[in-house]
Amino acid sequence: MARFSMQEARQLEQNLAHIYDFARFVDAKACELLHFEADGTVRREGRCFTTWGRSRRCRHCTSFCAAKSQSNFEKDEISDDKVYHVLSAPVEIEMPDKSILHCAMELVTNYPRNADARAMYDREVLQLLSRAKDTAHAGVLCFNVEDSCIYANLEAYRAFQVPPGELEALRSFFMTWLKDESWDSPWESAAAWEQEFFLEGERFVYRVAMAKLFDADGHYKGYYYTIRDRQEEMEEQDDTSWSRDKLTGLYDREGFYGAVREELDYGIKGERCIICSNIKDFKLVNELLGEEKGNEILKSLAEFFSDLAMDSGAAARLHGDHFAAYVDRARFTEQDLLDGLEHLGRAFDCNSFKLNIHLGIYKIQETQMPVSVMCDRAHLALSLVRDENGNKVAFYDDALMERTLREKEILGSFEEGLAERQLAVYLQPQVSTEGDLLGAEALVRWNHPEKGFLAPGQFIGILENAGLIHRLDQYVWEEAAAILKRWQGTEKEGLTISVNISVNDMLHLDIFQTMTDIVKRHGIDAKQLKLEITETALMGDIEKYRKLIGSLQEAGFEVEIDDFGSGYSSLSMLKDIEADILKIDMGFLRQTGNPKRSSVILNAVIAMAKWLGMRVITEGVETKEQVEHLRSLGCDMFQGYFFAKPMPVEEFEAKYFHEASNVSALPEAGRGR
């Protein structure tokens, strides 16, 4: 995220005024326009949504979404029969008292625009500015493809002693200075040189670096210059110039960013990489082995990274147990890294702790990219390392970034989706062996305003990884209870709805209190709201969960064990947990290549459930043959595409409330998916 001083924000707003219809700063939460005064105060002037002729916050406000998700958002707005493109980016403004004001920068363009104004696209401006803000201790000038200077930082004004804010004067002076030197070096992607500057008889020597900006398709988008005082640079080249980590002696985060940026600005030959590390569960080290042993591990990892970067790069301890190295790709192979990690692991393995180090690698393709972003991409690659006993090294690719951006978009719009009821409950029928409708399972779909219809696989896993699935589950529980309340007094009053309880729910919620409150608040019979608890959610403190299930049953709830067979101690769990219903997934049994063995296992599971006094429901039923086979084995209930697909509540009610209760002859029967 870009950070500007208040003075820089004022200049930026003025500089972009000739490119956009308006560029403005917005307090996204308050929906207020912000104006930064020369005296260091902030003037709040009107509501941002009045620009579009509205009396309240815009639906899917780009600035609100940008500020919440910390990523860029864009959309088109229509006002007075004109179409405007709005791009919002999260920014931070450093106030005179050093406090930080979080807001959004809006860039608004009316279509159509003249050719000169359209030459610089929104994303190009943001990319250039992002790059400029990452350059420490240097003057920066950013130019678009039409050679218009769109931004200069305060260091650039100071370097040439031009009053801050006089951007055109600075641009003219700077370009004249370059011409006076008759620089005729070919315009490559990046170049660096030294040049003299005289002012009132005083000689200055500046180190100038230029880099072009290209998009992912290789299209030229603009360029920027960095200007450093040569005397300052000579001081920075001192070994103490870039800040160091006290424990390891490597660069710290800021020192690493500066050292690598300096190398990249000079231009590089060959392929370079950023390598970042993570020690799995390192927080346990100090608890199990003591702080002294923990520091010993960190120093050994520092030595490993220092060896990697020897003679051709830089190494750093970014924070905690996270290290980084800027390395010539030719200096290592993947096997070299694995061998080094294995050696480190052997040195510190013990009975109480096994050292597990993972490495993420980003191959540098865009030298103008902020070093912090390069490190972020290397860290993203760490998410690809799954097998602790296998390959512990992973490389970043663009598909990973796309996946990460999609996840951020989903998470950024989740709360709004809940508030605006974009997440809809779908019902899939559950029937008896005779084909009678007994109830349904509550499932969820997302009618996303921008992405359209989203199936569960497109957002459930993301919410689970982010620890937010309990928010969605609570939403579904409330919706299911409201549906059951609405069915009271109708011919389907006796139907049940099954809802899911996950591992995350167990960790974040008091399940007993939450469920009893829901049925009491909605005035429904607890037996109507069946609780499906996955087998994996019950792993761990069996005694705790046994008591919980017992309490829920005493309160009138029926408890189902879902996904039976997916855990590691299924039989042991059944011994201790007295559930009412066992739910078997046919998909689990179809995964084997031996259908005969599957049938034997299925028969044994159903028989075992009967011996334990449990009813059995099988989901994922797709064929008539499966129904007949399961009925012969003693299965009590069925759910699957053979009977009906999941459907909106309104469709479910229309289909079953005014038809015969027998559903075995539904149009979907026998057709599968």
Side-chain angles (χ1 to χ4, degrees), residues 456-523:
Q458 294 175 274
F459 61 91
I460 293 294
I462 296 172
L463 296 176
E464 287 177 337
N465 293 334
L468 293 174
I469 195 66
H470 68 282
R471 296 274 291 111
L472 177 61
D473 286 342
Q474 279 186 289
Y475 176 87
V476 173
W477 301 340
E478 292 283 355
E479 291 289 295
I483 295 168
L484 290 169
K485 176 65 176 179
R486 191 167 68 246
W487 288 353
Q488 290 181 351
T490 72
E491 68 268 32
K492 300 302 178 184
E493 184 172 2
L495 293 179
T496 63
I497 295 180
S498 299
V499 295
N500 290 279
I501 297 176
S502 68
V503 176
N504 192 271
D505 300 331
M506 295 287 199
L507 294 173
H508 286 86
L509 303 172
D510 184 333
I511 297 297
F512 179 81
Q513 191 65 51
T514 301
M515 288 301 177
T516 51
D517 284 349
I518 287 175
V519 297
K520 183 179 180 180
R521 185 166 58 255
H522 289 275

Side-chain angles (χ1 to χ4, degrees), residues 51-182:
T51 304
W52 317 114
R54 295 191 174 94
S55 58
R56 58 189 296 271
R57 181 192 297 276
C58 302
R59 183 177 174 86
H60 315 306
C61 170
T62 56
S63 292
F64 181 81
C65 293
K68 190 174 184 63
S69 67
Q70 299 298 289
S71 57
N72 301 339
F73 273 79
E74 59 187 310
K75 69 173 181 177
D76 289 336
E77 285 283 359
I78 300 177
S79 180
D80 297 329
D81 295 324
K82 295 181 180 178
V83 181
Y84 295 87
H85 182 72
V86 183
L87 175 68
S88 295
V91 296
E92 296 177 342
I93 308 298
E94 185 174 338
M95 309 298 286
D97 62 359
K98 302 302 181 182
S99 63
I100 302 298
L101 174 63
H102 297 272
C103 59
M105 180 173 63
E106 288 186 357
L107 306 176
V108 183
T109 308
N110 175 226
Y111 296 116
R113 298 289 304 226
N114 62 62
D116 290 337
R118 291 291 296 161
M120 171 55 74
Y121 296 96
D122 303 338
R123 294 177 185 84
E124 297 164 21
V125 172
L126 294 173
Q127 287 176 310
L128 283 167
L129 293 177
S130 175
R131 168 64 190 88
K133 299 305 294 182
D134 189 60
T135 304
H137 312 300
V140 178
L141 292 94
C142 295
F143 293 78
N144 65 14
V145 294
E146 297 294 320
D147 296 325
S148 296
C149 187
I150 64 168
Y151 172 78
N153 66 358
L154 292 177
E155 289 294 330
Y157 287 104
R158 294 191 185 104
F160 297 102
Q161 301 191 24
V162 175
E166 297 186 13
L167 184 66
E168 180 56 29
L170 176 63
R171 184 205 65 81
S172 178
F173 191 97
F174 179 75
M175 298 308 293
T176 301
W177 177 59
L178 291 182
K179 289 178 181 178
D180 286 345
E181 289 297 313
S182 301

Side-chain angles (χ1 to χ4, degrees), residues 422 445-455 458:
Q422 299 167 6
R445 306 291 187 267
W446 191 344
N447 296 312
H448 198 283
E450 298 172 1
K451 298 182 178 297
F453 183 86
L454 298 180
Q458 294 175 274

Side-chain angles (χ1 to χ4, degrees), residues 257-550:
Y257 292 170
V260 175
R261 173 49 51 201
E262 185 174 82
E263 290 292 321
L264 294 173
D265 283 347
Y266 267 122
I268 61 173
K269 295 181 180 180
E271 189 176 46
R272 300 298 175 103
C273 299
I274 297 290
I275 304 177
C276 289
S277 71
N278 177 59
I279 302 178
K280 188 174 177 28
D281 297 326
F282 183 73
K283 62 182 180 181
L284 297 176
V285 172
N286 289 341
E287 297 177 9
L288 296 174
L289 306 180
E291 184 176 347
E292 184 177 346
K293 179 62 70 173
N295 287 342
E296 186 180 341
I297 291 173
L298 294 177
K299 290 177 182 178
S300 295
L301 190 55
E303 186 177 346
F304 172 79
F305 271 81
S306 182
D307 290 343
L308 274 177
M310 187 178 297
D311 301 327
S312 63
R317 180 189 179 197
L318 300 180
H319 63 89
D321 63 309
H322 294 277
F323 289 74
Y326 167 72
V327 185
D328 186 342
R329 180 66 178 89
R331 282 189 54 84
F332 70 90
T333 66
E334 188 171 342
Q335 190 59 49
D336 292 334
L337 299 178
L338 291 171
D339 291 343
L341 295 180
E342 185 180 356
H343 177 75
L344 273 173
R346 285 199 304 267
F348 293 100
D349 282 351
C350 63
N351 292 331
S352 57
F353 180 78
K354 181 176 178 63
L355 189 63
N356 245 311
I357 305 172
H358 298 164
L359 300 179
I361 304 173
Y362 170 67
K363 297 178 182 178
I364 298 175
Q365 297 173 327
E366 305 171 32
T367 58
Q368 71 278 5
M369 180 185 293
V371 179
S372 59
V373 176
M374 296 179 187
C375 291
D376 289 342
R377 293 191 171 187
H379 276 112
L380 276 178
L382 288 168
S383 65
L384 299 176
V385 181
R386 302 294 185 191
D387 185 4
E388 295 182 0
N389 299 314
N391 198 338
K392 302 177 181 180
V393 178
F395 288 81
Y396 169 89
D397 59 35
D398 289 336
L400 177 60
M401 174 58 78
E402 292 174 5
R403 188 185 75 189
T404 303
L405 291 175
R406 287 197 300 270
E407 291 179 357
K408 289 186 67 175
E409 290 175 359
I410 290 294
L411 295 175
S413 57
F414 175 59
E415 291 297 334
E416 183 180 359
L418 288 180
E420 298 189 1
R421 301 179 65 82
Q422 299 167 6
L423 291 125
V425 170
Y426 275 46
L427 299 178
Q428 186 172 30
Q430 296 176 332
V431 305
S432 69
T433 54
E434 292 77 27
D436 296 325
L437 182 66
L438 300 175
E441 181 181 2
L443 305 167
V444 67
R445 306 291 187 267
W446 191 344
N447 296 312
H448 198 283
E450 298 172 1
K451 298 182 178 297
F453 183 86
L454 298 180
Q458 294 175 274
F459 61 91
I460 293 294
I462 296 172
L463 296 176
E464 287 177 337
N465 293 334
L468 293 174
I469 195 66
H470 68 282
R471 296 274 291 111
L472 177 61
D473 286 342
Q474 279 186 289
Y475 176 87
V476 173
W477 301 340
E478 292 283 355
E479 291 289 295
I483 295 168
L484 290 169
K485 176 65 176 179
R486 191 167 68 246
W487 288 353
Q488 290 181 351
T490 72
E491 68 268 32
K492 300 302 178 184
E493 184 172 2
L495 293 179
T496 63
I497 295 180
S498 299
V499 295
N500 290 279
I501 297 176
S502 68
V503 176
N504 192 271
D505 300 331
M506 295 287 199
L507 294 173
H508 286 86
L509 303 172
D510 184 333
I511 297 297
F512 179 81
Q513 191 65 51
T514 301
M515 288 301 177
T516 51
D517 284 349
I518 287 175
V519 297
K520 183 179 180 180
R521 185 166 58 255
H522 289 275
I524 62 173
D525 187 346
K527 195 172 184 178
Q528 294 179 279
L529 192 66
K530 295 197 295 186
L531 309 180
E532 294 190 9
I533 305 177
T534 62
E535 182 187 343
T536 51
L538 298 173
M539 301 300 175
D541 192 343
I542 287 291
E543 180 61 20
K544 171 185 174 183
Y545 296 132
R546 187 185 66 80
K547 291 180 180 179
L548 170 62
I549 289 174

